[in-house]
């Protein structure tokens, strides 16, 4: 048997999963390989022991097929399966499947029929009109793909906040186990919770820099480590993920943390404030008359300079330092303030879970209420509910409500806003519902005035409680539709309509800047996940991050109210 580590086997399984995906193998099989690969990294058992004792099947999620693959890998030191796939499929295809709209199936078709093996060849196949001749392609798909490639290339090293947090958390957990490391934190845009993160950064406190570097070099999934600046190293991973790691002595940690978190403008303003107060603030310490001031943590950097502590989400030089001086920073909303989720899809439309499963998950979260808001009838692609199905759902909710006395289930809908601003159900139908979200899901390419009037008309309907994902953008994929948001915010205030902060990782819509504008004129916000699967209920933290960046407090957000207060607010009489 070969002495392979968990990490090495994990890497092989991941590679296998990717190539199987590319070949268009069964989705469940592919996902199982990805899962097994992750399990191997996280588990404490040694794969060699398990293999020796014949206990590979004991690893959670490892079925017969994967167990056979692992056994073969352990016996031969490599995976013949993987080598075979590799010989069949060129590596450049792996990049191609990252382009939205180009799944593994299409990538394989391009490879098989046109010999496309990488992004450059794909671009040329599109530009010369060769691709449009393939079955299922055509001119429209060609145009579409060209745009998607352009977008893909411009966002190549940009991560959605959720992706960035996931990647950084994983590396953080790993570095924490390194002997001699006292603290590890992410910095930069990820720590400020910006919706898109361009630079992934981790800060490590240790007195033994060399041994930390040695530890990092042993990461089998890191391709290279280069020294880039004083204390700063660039780690390049498979998939071309790049993470900057800074390793500093513990007494410099809080200053590096402050500087690397940024934003640049915020840091500069704080330097000026230090200057004015007769201090000198640098990345290595705070000085007065050239002697170093003792500062225990980041908070004390602020308080020493007479400013209240400013949370990372606010550090954008948008007035927070002045507010910190006057001690009038917002009492920022927290995840624990959220008492329920008011935008959830069930298996009645395109969600993956039954209403009962959703209720159970919401109770586990400690929520006081939730709203089931499936799609309305005209949204056929998402199995929108006919009026009959809607009433059937209402009946089911009534029945379920009788069983649960610790959570309120609001009957809701995400009703489509038609082109002319009318809604997809009559007012009479809507009057049976507790919570109505109106959203645009079709005809995005209207001119600005028409789109603005369309939403205004929806807000003027007395049954509408909130506008869902108000700008319709998909981060990295689709721009917001053209709309006059100042006007929307004004009408929201006149009609008492909430604006949603949609927490889907690729929406985060409305954003921090608009949320703050809305708050300033007294418009209420609602932070929802728009979950279609139970695990997406956890995206609430992303919406809360947007709210924190937008200076929101508890009272600006309706789903921080307790159940009775919210029922009172939603009462229709
Ligand atoms: Zn929607
Ligand atoms: Zn939705």
């Amino acid at each position: 048997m070969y002495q392979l580590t968990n990490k090495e086997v994990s890497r092989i399984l991941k590679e296998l999963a990717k190539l199987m995906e590319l070949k268009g193998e069964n989705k469940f099989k592919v996902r199982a390989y990805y899962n097994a690969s992750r399990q191997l990294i996280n588990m404490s058992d040694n794969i060699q022991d398990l293999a020796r004792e014949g206990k590979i099947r004991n690893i959670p999620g490892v079925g017969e097929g994967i167990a056979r693959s692992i056994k073969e890998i352990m016996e031969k030191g490599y995976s013949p399966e993987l080598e075979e796939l590799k010989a069949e499929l060129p590596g450049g295809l792996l990049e191609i499947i990252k382009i939205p709209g180009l799944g593994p199936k299409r990538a394989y078709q391009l490879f098989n029929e046109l010999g496309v093996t990488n992004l450059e060849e794909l671009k040329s196949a599109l530009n010369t009109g060769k691709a449009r001749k393939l079955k299922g392609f055509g001119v429209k798909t060609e145009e579409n793909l060209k745009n998607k490639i352009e977008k893909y290339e411009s966002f190549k090293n940009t991560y959605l906040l959720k992706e960035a947090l996931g990647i950084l958390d994983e590396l953080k957990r790993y570095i924490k186990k390194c002997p001699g490391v006292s603290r590890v934190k992410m910095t930069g845009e990820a720590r400020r919770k910006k919706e898109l993160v361009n630079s992934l950064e981790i800060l490590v406190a240790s007195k033994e820099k060399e041994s930390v570097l040695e530890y990092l070099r042993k990461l089998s999934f890191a391709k290279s480590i280069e020294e880039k600046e004083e204390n700063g190293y660039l780690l390049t991973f498979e998939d071309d993920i790049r993470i900057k790691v800074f390793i500093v002595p513990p007494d410099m940690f809080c200053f590096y943390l402050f500087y690397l978190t940024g934003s640049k403008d915020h840091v500069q303003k704080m330097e000026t404030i230090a200057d004015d107060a007769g201090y000198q603030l640098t990345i290595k310490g705070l000085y007065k008359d050239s002697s170093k001031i003792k500062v225990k943590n980041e908070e004390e950097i602020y308080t020493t300079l007479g400013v209240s502590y400013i949370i990372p989400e606010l550090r954008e030089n948008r007035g927070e330092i002045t507010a910190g001086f006057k001690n009038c920073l917002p009492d920022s909303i927290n995840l624990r303030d959220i008492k329920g989720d008011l935008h959830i899809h069930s298996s009645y439309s395109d969600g993956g879970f039954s209403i009962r499963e959703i209720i159970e998950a919401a109770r586990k979260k400690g929520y006081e209420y939730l709203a089931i808001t499936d799609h309305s009838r005209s949204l056929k692609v998402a199995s929108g509910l006919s009026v009959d199905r809607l009433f059937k759902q209402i009946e089911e909710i009534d029945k379920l409500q009788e069983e649960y006395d610790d959570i309120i289930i609001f009957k809701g809908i995400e009703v489509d806003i038609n082109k002319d601003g009318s809604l997809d159900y009559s007012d009479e139908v809507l009057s049976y519902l507790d919570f109505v979200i109106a959203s645009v899901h079709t005809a995005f390419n209207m001119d600005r005035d028409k789109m603005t009037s369309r939403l205004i008309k929806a807000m003027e309907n007395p049954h509408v409680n909130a506008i869902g994902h108000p700008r319709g953008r998909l981060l990295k994929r689709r721009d917001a539709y053209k709309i006059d948001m100042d006007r929307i915010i004004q009408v929201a205030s006149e009609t008492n309509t909430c604006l949603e902060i949609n927490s889907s990782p690729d929406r985060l819509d409305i954003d921090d800047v608009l949320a703050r504008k809305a708050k300033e004129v007294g418009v209420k916000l609602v932070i929802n996940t728009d979950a279609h699967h139970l695990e997406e209920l956890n995206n609430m933290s992303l919406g809360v991050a947007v709210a924190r960046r937008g200076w929101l407090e508890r009272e600006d957000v309706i789903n921080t109210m307790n159940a009775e207060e919210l029922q009172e607010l939603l009462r229709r009489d």
Side-chain angles (χ1 to χ4, degrees):
M1 199 169 69
Y2 279 81
Q3 304 295 306
L4 292 173
T5 63
N6 288 24
K7 247 175 290 149
E8 282 160 334
V9 180
S10 160
R11 194 177 173 177
I12 294 174
L13 291 178
K14 194 170 169 191
E15 189 90 18
L16 265 170
K18 270 192 198 160
L19 296 190
M20 285 176 181
E21 191 174 12
L22 190 49
K23 236 193 114 177
E25 290 242 26
N26 180 302
K27 267 188 189 158
F28 294 100
K29 184 174 173 190
V30 171
R31 200 173 310 147
Y33 272 83
Y34 275 123
N35 281 341
S37 156
R38 217 169 304 125
Q39 284 292 349
L40 276 165
I41 284 286
N42 294 330
M43 72 183 192
S44 50
D45 293 321
N46 187 324
I47 187 69
Q48 291 169 30
D49 297 340
L50 294 178
R52 206 175 304 114
E53 294 158 20
K55 287 184 179 163
I56 293 176
R57 286 284 306 266
N58 290 8
I59 304 168
V62 169
E64 209 177 305
I66 299 181
R68 217 180 305 121
S69 299
I70 295 178
K71 231 177 114 199
E72 198 172 22
I73 294 166
M74 301 304 286
E75 277 163 11
K76 301 200 164 128
Y78 70 99
S79 163
E81 226 176 331
L82 179 62
E83 296 313 310
E84 236 169 78
L85 278 169
K86 267 190 186 161
E88 242 177 281
L89 302 165
L93 283 180
L94 287 176
E95 179 166 26
I96 292 183
I97 54 170
K98 288 185 195 154
I99 297 159
L102 228 178
K105 242 192 207 153
R106 275 192 168 157
Y108 188 66
Q109 193 186 358
L110 283 160
F111 162 63
N112 213 13
E113 296 175 35
L114 295 179
V116 169
T117 60
N118 58 42
L119 194 55
E120 284 313 309
E121 288 170 6
L122 171 61
K123 281 200 271 185
S124 122
L126 291 168
N127 290 331
T128 52
K130 274 189 202 155
R132 75 173 71 149
K133 295 190 188 110
L134 294 181
K135 193 172 170 235
F137 275 69
V139 180
K140 216 171 159 191
T141 311
E142 182 183 275
E143 255 333 286
N144 218 337
L145 282 175
K146 278 190 203 167
N147 289 334
K148 295 257 166 75
I149 290 173
E150 202 179 304
K151 265 227 149 84
Y152 167 79
E153 290 194 306
S154 66
F155 283 118
K156 214 170 161 183
N157 292 310
T158 302
Y159 300 88
L160 298 178
L161 177 61
K162 182 170 177 161
E163 295 170 336
L165 295 177
I167 295 168
L168 291 173
D169 266 333
E170 197 178 327
L171 185 62
K172 232 173 80 181
R173 268 204 306 275
Y174 188 79
I175 296 179
K176 268 191 182 152
K177 291 186 208 144
C178 171
V181 164
S182 54
R183 294 195 71 190
V184 188
K185 274 224 173 241
M186 61 180 82
T187 61
E189 294 157 326
R191 185 165 181 240
R192 301 205 309 279
K193 307 272 169 67
K194 278 192 77 169
E195 60 201 22
L196 291 174
V197 176
N198 291 295
S199 166
L200 302 171
E201 297 171 8
I202 281 194
L203 174 63
V204 181
S206 174
K207 285 182 188 148
E208 302 147 50
K209 185 153 95 181
E210 278 312 316
S211 71
V212 178
L213 281 171
E214 201 42 50
Y215 182 82
L216 290 174
R217 281 193 197 100
K218 281 194 208 136
L219 282 176
S220 68
F221 43 92
K223 275 199 306 208
S224 67
I225 302 181
E226 296 165 75
E227 183 163 3
K228 280 287 173 189
E229 55 193 285
E230 197 185 357
N231 300 322
Y233 303 85
L234 183 68
L235 267 69
T236 308
F237 292 82
E238 290 176 44
D239 304 349
D240 246 9
I241 290 175
R242 280 156 228 214
I243 305 182
K244 278 191 204 155
V245 177
F246 293 84
I247 308 166
V248 300
D251 66 329
M252 277 186 205
F253 185 82
C254 71
F255 294 100
Y256 265 80
L257 183 61
F258 168 75
Y259 268 82
L260 295 176
T261 299
S263 65
K264 249 193 194 123
D265 290 347
H266 176 90
V267 167
Q268 262 170 19
K269 183 103 195 257
M270 286 299 293
E271 283 175 342
T272 314
I273 291 207
D275 263 1
D276 293 348
Y279 291 90
Q280 206 201 345
L281 179 59
T282 77
I283 196 166
K284 294 194 170 161
L286 181 64
Y287 301 87
K288 190 160 198 173
D289 306 327
S290 63
S291 59
K292 197 166 177 176
I293 308 284
K294 231 181 153 52
V295 170
K296 280 205 302 288
N297 50 38
E298 202 186 30
E299 201 162 337
E300 280 189 13
I301 299 177
Y302 287 95
T303 51
T304 308
L305 299 173
V307 180
S308 317
Y309 176 69
I310 297 170
I311 58 168
E313 291 93 324
L314 290 175
R315 299 183 197 169
E316 298 292 344
N317 196 25
R318 295 178 190 152
E320 73 279 7
I321 296 176
T322 312
F325 249 129
K326 295 190 202 141
N327 206 7
C328 60
L329 281 161
D331 181 6
S332 299
I333 182 171
N334 284 294
L335 182 59
R336 61 173 177 276
D337 296 325
I338 299 293
K339 301 271 170 32
D341 195 332
L342 298 174
H343 186 164
I344 304 174
H345 295 270
S346 77
S347 49
Y348 269 82
S349 66
D350 58 348
F353 291 86
S354 71
I355 298 178
R356 186 187 294 279
E357 287 169 309
I358 295 166
I359 295 169
E360 290 295 343
R363 286 173 77 223
K364 257 188 218 134
K365 287 199 155 298
Y367 283 160
E368 293 184 20
Y369 48 82
L370 69 134
I372 300 292
T373 54
D374 277 306
H375 288 292
S376 63
R377 61 184 167 187
S378 76
L379 204 62
K380 298 272 187 330
V381 288
S383 313
L385 269 52
S386 66
V387 174
D388 279 355
R389 291 268 294 154
L390 178 63
F391 282 114
K392 227 183 127 212
Q393 182 179 67
I394 290 175
E395 239 173 72
E396 183 178 338
I397 292 176
D398 278 333
K399 268 195 208 129
L400 284 163
Q401 185 68 79
E402 278 171 31
E403 284 181 49
Y404 294 96
D405 58 6
D406 58 353
I407 190 158
I408 296 192
I409 311 144
F410 290 116
K411 296 158 201 154
I413 194 75
E414 181 177 17
V415 66
D416 258 66
I417 306 175
N418 299 326
K419 260 187 180 169
D420 62 359
S422 63
L423 300 176
D424 196 19
Y425 292 130
S426 68
D427 284 4
E428 206 235 317
V429 170
L430 294 177
S431 72
Y432 287 93
L433 299 164
D434 304 311
F435 195 71
V436 175
I437 302 171
S439 305
V440 168
H441 292 119
T442 54
F444 298 114
N445 293 322
M446 292 170 81
D447 76 47
R448 190 167 183 258
D449 286 345
K450 278 202 182 119
M451 188 59 100
T452 308
S453 313
R454 181 181 178 186
L455 266 88
I456 287 175
K457 191 162 171 211
M459 287 193 280
E460 283 168 346
N461 183 309
H463 297 288
V464 170
N465 299 99
I467 296 293
H469 43 74
R471 292 189 305 159
R473 70 170 179 185
L474 293 176
L475 291 165
K476 289 169 70 173
R477 286 194 284 148
R478 186 174 77 205
D479 293 333
Y481 37 69
K482 295 182 199 82
I483 188 164
D484 180 352
M485 276 310 292
D486 287 335
R487 185 94 180 90
I488 295 296
I489 288 171
Q490 185 198 330
V491 177
S493 122
E494 288 158 14
T495 55
N496 248 328
T497 313
C498 293
L499 296 181
E500 181 180 65
I501 296 178
N502 188 296
S503 313
S504 303
D506 58 355
R507 287 194 186 272
L508 301 182
D509 179 14
I510 53 178
D511 66 10
D512 49 351
V513 174
L514 289 170
R516 189 171 173 190
K517 271 192 185 172
K519 169 203 168 93
E520 275 163 6
V521 295
V523 169
K524 295 286 181 217
L525 288 297
V526 56
I527 308 177
N528 291 325
T529 64
D530 197 358
H532 289 69
H533 294 275
L534 296 183
E535 67 96 21
E536 288 170 3
L537 292 171
N538 297 327
N539 290 338
M540 187 62 85
S541 59
L542 300 173
V544 171
V546 172
R548 283 164 72 84
R549 288 180 55 80
W551 293 55
L552 298 196
E553 303 183 310
R554 221 170 68 95
E555 56 264 32
D556 300 315
V557 176
I558 64 162
N559 51 329
T560 61
M561 292 180 173
N562 65 36
E564 293 80 57
E565 289 167 340
L566 187 60
Q567 274 181 310
E568 187 56 40
L569 182 85
L570 300 179
R571 197 189 302 279
R572 302 188 190 276
D573 45 29

